Every structure is written in structure tokens, then in C-alpha cells.
Amino acid sequence: MTDRAATPRTPQQPRYGTRPTMKDVAARAGVGLKTVSRVVNGEPGVTADTERRVREAIGALGFRRNDSARILRKGRTASIGLVLEDLADPFYAPLNRAVEEVARDHGALLFNGSSAENADRERELALALCARRVDGLIVIPAGHDHRYLEPEIAAGVATVFVDRPAGRIDADAVLSDNFGGARDGVAHLVAHGHRRIGFIGDRPTVHTATERLRGYHAALDAAGLPADDSRISLGPTTPERVAAEAQRMLTGPHPVTALFTGNNRVTATAVRVLARHPRPVALVGFDDLELADLLSPAVTVVAQDAARLGRTAAELLFRRLDGAGEQPRQVVLPTRLIARGSGELPPADTP
Amino acid sequence: MTDRAATPRTPQQPRYGTRPTMKDVAARAGVGLKTVSRVVNGEPGVTADTERRVREAIGALGFRRNDSARILRKGRTASIGLVLEDLADPFYAPLNRAVEEVARDHGALLFNGSSAENADRERELALALCARRVDGLIVIPAGHDHRYLEPEIAAGVATVFVDRPAGRIDADAVLSDNFGGARDGVAHLVAHGHRRIGFIGDRPTVHTATERLRGYHAALDAAGLPADDSRISLGPTTPERVAAEAQRMLTGPHPVTALFTGNNRVTATAVRVLARHPRPVALVGFDDLELADLLSPAVTVVAQDAARLGRTAAELLFRRLDGAGEQPRQVVLPTRLIARGSGELPPADTP
DNA sequence: TAGAGCCTGGACAACGTTGTCAAGAGCGGG
DNA sequence: CCCGCTCTTGACAACGTTGTCCAGGCTCTA
């Protein structure tokens, strides 16, 4: 006697309505189970009359195939997972959308979740998705050790990292040219006469932050300018910290005449600080902002193409799923300097 | 002879690595299948020594439970689906995140996808999610007929609509006070002396657009001001159309002295048009914008709390899943007028 | 020491689907 | 008229898990 033998069609949880199965459809249509399966999946070998009877039964019962069972049987789930830092961050929204579009083109559904910049949460989420047997995983890493994914990758879960490379494993990654973008942005300021340029970026544990800082140094080096640690600040991108650091760099005996800000959140805060500052200060920010062109001065930015990042990663993922078994590769996408005014301000006279 | 009997542990698709199952773990640990299940699920009735042996085997084989099979057996999937208009729209990003947080608190994973304002695509996506047997569905409707969801809801898929009500079925919905918000925004302009106020909104098929238009009319009525159709424009929110309509309203013999814009996209375009306009024109927009406070003049908005919208909907969904079987209800959340400057400009003299 | 009771562990069916295989019907050609 | 062919159809096992139930070993008490 099993758990359901006594009351054949009454589910254990009564509030969860009972759903018809192929068996029910078959019984009602007076055909075999497999025939229903054939009709549902559009397989050949069913006469028009039989098909009609089956379709009638399907309609009458409101049957919908249970894809969980299908997945179990077939092995592939036609779903992929996206683990990103924060679904609410405007930078990641287009990336998310781009991944979704590609998934849709390949008939796959998309799971997603935020790691909230927390390595444990990233891990927990990624593994939960693997337990659901997603076919592939796109991860914007929060942590720096992704060895926990090794068994999954070995088991066939295609995995692509975006925006930041994987830690301690060899895996596909799609990145922006953070180094080159930052170098170009800072060089732009240098070209407009600035010699004391501040850099405010994300915490040094974030790969993109250090890459952008490298670009900053490279631009200064190329111009023969000295780097001064007091003009460099890496840390949390909370408005409080960023505003305080900006204020600090703007005052003192040798204030900066220009700021390079390491991401969209930092830039937004910097714009607020500069708006209240008496002296004009040049600004170039990494990441584009909505309405950046309408501020005065309009904000010059180094823009990355978030949608393209997402699209490229997803396409690479599906190529892997289709059997492309080459070595893991890193794809680096270019950034684009958009000069709008704030980066073209000349150095202001300082007191 | 079945499909796998000949080569017991070689999957049909060779590129998809073989994964160990509980059976494999049991064999390796020298215990029964059910004992492994007990260990994996933390069920009591396993001695410390047996548990250790099982855990060792799990580690050695890199076993991870197949949740697809678990789902099939248990009935509940611990996942919910979110169908929204556009994952990339900054307005929906915080909503998405809020839903995800609540889902996480309830141990559920989140599927999501964009309908791209297309009713067919909404339907296709929602039904695909139902086929995956999500426990619940949160939908930002694109279409106006949701009867297709009736069998699903009857079968126990908890369903909550957000931002716009469901069409032709009685279902839970969480909405913003679009009518009241628009009325307050327009009244704000009236209070600052405006008598010719333009309204540019989304297409009349979008519920929020017509509600906001109702609010516009209500505010004019309350002030005893006549409504003039030439100052009202509903349609696609493409920059081209919005810019053209704004221009049209700003010129001619009786130009508007103020604009009320029906959503974030319209507002952004209107700001661009007004920035180039010789005469100051007051502006109040529905939906807050990032950096709105930094524009000059700063943009006065009627803000909705997208995160709260999402959170409320998700909490309602999980209450339903926990068995709250009351009548469907509509929850209306308040909006908030944020005066920043652009709405407080007095009417400019017109030629 | 025997009987009762508890604890641990395993055999088995079932969740709803799909792949394999075989059986029966219908039909044409030798 | 029968053989063999094609075409349609259905029976059955299996995917990997969990729930039920039973068996055997152990402890405890009388």
C-alpha cells in the first residue's frame, strides 16, 4: 500500500488542486498513454481522427504537460540561471534582459537571483540552480573562489562568467575592457590639462575596481605624471563614503582639478558633490548614466555596453551547450568614451 | 530492453557528463537508497557512523540532489515566476529585486521574463512557467484577457497581478494609486497658477495610462478648468512621438505653460525637449528618475514605490500559497509627490 | 533470560513523462 | 489467398527522488 493507493486522485496537500495527467487524458479519449504523448509533442504516426479525440480530451480537462516530469525523463531542462550582483542595479538590468532574449531564442527559461555582493550567497544560489539542473549558468562573481563549481562544470553545466573573471578555476568569461576604458578616460582628462586627478572606486576586492585603477595609473604614467595615494580611494560605494572622499580630495593645499569615478554609483554621488562645489571640477565617470547628457555640465563617461556583455555571454553559453568543447576563453569587449562636457572642463585656478 | 539498459551509466547525450545519483552514493557507502535520502534531507533515524559514511560518499562522488526528481515527487517546486514588461526598464528593476528577496525568504527560486508589452508573449511565458509547475505567478499584464490563466489558477497556481489589474478574471492585484497620484501632480501645477497643462502618456490600452489621465481630468475639474483634447496625447512612448507632441503643445496660439508626463520614459524625453525650449515650462512627471534632483530645474515627480509594489505582491502570493483562501483583493499603494523645482515654476508669459 | 519496545536501515511503489519495442490492422503483390 | 510490408497504437520500463512499511537488531525491564 503506497501513499496514494487509497485515494487515487486526491493529492496529499488538499489545497493544491489536482491536475489532469496524460493518463487522465488517455482514459477520457479512450487511447493509450503514449498516443497522448505523441499528440502533445507533435510526433508523427497519429491519425487525424485519433488526434482530434485526444485534443478534445485535453481541452475538456484543461491538461497541461508537466515539464518537471519531462525534464526528469529527458535530462535537459531548457533553463539557465543568471546570478548577478543586484537585480535592481540599473547597470545590470539591460544585461539581464539581453540574457533573457538569447535564452528565449534558444527556447530556454531564465532563473535569476542576486548575490548582493556576498560570496556565500552567490555560492548558495549557484548551487541551488545546479540542483535544479539548469543547463547553464551565467555568473557575475561576488566571491573569488569558484572551485565549488568544478563538479558542476565537470558534470556538464555550461558556465560563463560576466563582468568579472572566475576565481581559481579556468572558465569562460566575458569582460569589458576596464583597464583600457579607465586609461582612456583618465587620458582624456590629462589631454585637457589636468595634472591632479582623483580616483574614487569600488573596494579593492572587486576585480573591475582594480583593473580600472590600473588604467588610471597607466594613463598617468603615459603622461609622466606622478601618482599620489591621497588622490586614490577604493572602498564601499556608499554615498557617505564617496562624498567624504570627494570632499577631501577637493580641499587641502593641492586639491584635485578633476575626478575619475569608478562606476555609476560613485559617479552619481560625485555629481551631487560637485554641484555644490564652488570651483568647477572636471569629471569622467565609468559607466553611462541615464540623463547624464542633461546635467550641467553634461557628464562625460566611459560607457560599457551592458546588453552586449549579456548577449555575448549568453551566446557563448549556448554555443557550449551545443557542444563547442574548446578551451575556456576570455572575451573582452571595448568601452566607449562619450565626451559631453564635464570631462572637457579646463583645470580651474586653485587658491 | 530499454533505452539505457545496454550501457547503464552512459547518458544518451554523451557531452552531458554523467551525474551520480543517490543510488550511486548508496552503493559506495554500502547503505540503502533511503538512508542516503535521509542524510541528504537531514531526517532523523540515521546513526552518526552511517551518516559519516554517506557524507564521505557524497563528497567523493560530488553528488548533488536532483531537484527535478524531488519536485516531481513532492508536488511543490519552490519556485515562482515573474512576468514583467521589460527587465531592462529601470522602473521594474527594483520591483524584480523585491520579489526576489521575498522569494528567497520563503526558500523559493525565481524565474522571470519580459513580455515586451506583447499579450501573446505574456501568455506564452506565463503558460511555460505553469508547465514548469511554478507554485505561483506574479504578472505585470501586457494583455487584457487573462482567462487563459483560469485553469492554472483553479489547479492551484497562486497568481498576483502587479502594476495593472488582470483582464476578465477576478484575481489579486497590487496597484499604485495612479489616479490619485496624477490628480495630485496636476493639482500641484494648478496650485502654481497653471491653466493650460499638457498631458503626454502611454497608449490608451495601458491601464495605468488611462488611470493617470483620469487623475488629470479630475484635477482640472476640481479647479474648474476646461480640458482641451489638443493638450492630451496618449500613444507609444518612443522619444520621437513624445518629442513631437511636446513640441506641438509648446507652440501655437495657446501653448501649454506646464506639462504632466505619464511615466519615466516620457518624462526623460520631455526634459530633453524643455531643455532646448526658450521659455521655461513647468513639469511634473509620473515615476521618479535617477538624478532627477540634479537637473536644472530639478524635476518634480509623482513617485511610486516600485520595490514596495513588488514586495507587497510577493508577500500576498506567499500568503496565498500558505493557504489564505479569501476572495481576491486589490491592494492600492499610495504615491508621493516630490517637489523639486520644475513643478513650481510659475506660468511664463506667452507671446 | 525472555518478551516488549525502540531504533535503524532497506525494499518498493509512485510522481508524470518519454523511448523502445512489439502487436495488430490494412493493403498490395505474387 | 497468403506473405510481407507499412502504419498506427499501446504496454512497459526508466528518469531520480521521497513516503510507506516491514524486518532485524538492539536495549530495557520483569
Side-chain angles (χ1 to χ4, degrees), chain A residues 3 73 86 97 152, chain B residues 3 64 73 86 97 152:
Chain A
D3 49 331
R73 184 63 232 246
D86 180 2
R97 173 71 191 266
E152 310 300 325
Chain B
D3 49 331
R64 189 169 314 285
R73 184 61 231 243
D86 180 1
R97 174 71 191 265
E152 309 301 326

Side-chain angles (χ1 to χ4, degrees), chain B residues 32-77:
Chain B
L33 184 54
K34 183 65 215 211
T35 301
V36 177
S37 172
R38 273 192 271 260
V39 171
V40 169
N41 293 297
E43 289 170 24
V46 181
T47 53
D49 184 60
T50 308
E51 171 164 356
R52 191 187 43 72
R53 288 216 315 285
V54 171
R55 291 211 181 282
E56 257 175 38
I58 289 177
L61 296 173
F63 166 79
R64 189 169 314 285
R65 181 179 63 198
N66 183 333
D67 275 357
S68 287
R70 173 171 225 252
I71 283 165
L72 175 61
R73 184 61 231 243
K74 301 207 79 150
R76 286 300 183 92
T77 61

Side-chain angles (χ1 to χ4, degrees), chain A residues 191-208:
Chain A
H192 284 80
H194 295 275
R195 299 179 51 84
R196 294 195 306 277
I197 303 171
F199 179 99
I200 305 181
D202 209 333
R203 288 154 304 161
T205 53
V206 177
H207 175 262
T208 51

Side-chain angles (χ1 to χ4, degrees), chain A residues 188-189 192 194 282-284 297-300 339-346:
Chain A
H188 186 73
L189 290 168
H192 284 80
H194 295 275
L283 173 69
V284 173
V299 182
T300 295
R340 292 196 177 113
S342 75
E344 294 74 50
L345 295 174

Side-chain angles (χ1 to χ4, degrees), chain B residues 16-38:
Chain B
Y16 201 70
T18 170
R19 297 202 74 130
T21 71
M22 284 195 178
K23 206 162 149 189
D24 300 323
V25 174
R28 176 162 182 136
V31 301
L33 184 54
K34 183 65 215 211
T35 301
V36 177
S37 172
R38 273 192 271 260

Side-chain angles (χ1 to χ4, degrees), chain B residues 210-257:
Chain B
T210 57
E211 279 297 291
R212 292 170 194 174
L213 180 58
R214 276 211 311 127
Y216 167 85
H217 280 301
L220 293 189
D221 281 358
L225 293 173
D228 180 334
D229 281 351
S230 75
R231 295 200 278 267
I232 296 174
S233 168
L234 297 189
T237 57
T238 56
E240 298 72 30
R241 189 195 76 90
V242 171
E245 288 296 279
Q247 273 303 343
R248 183 179 63 69
M249 293 185 193
L250 290 170
T251 51
H254 298 296
V256 300
T257 63

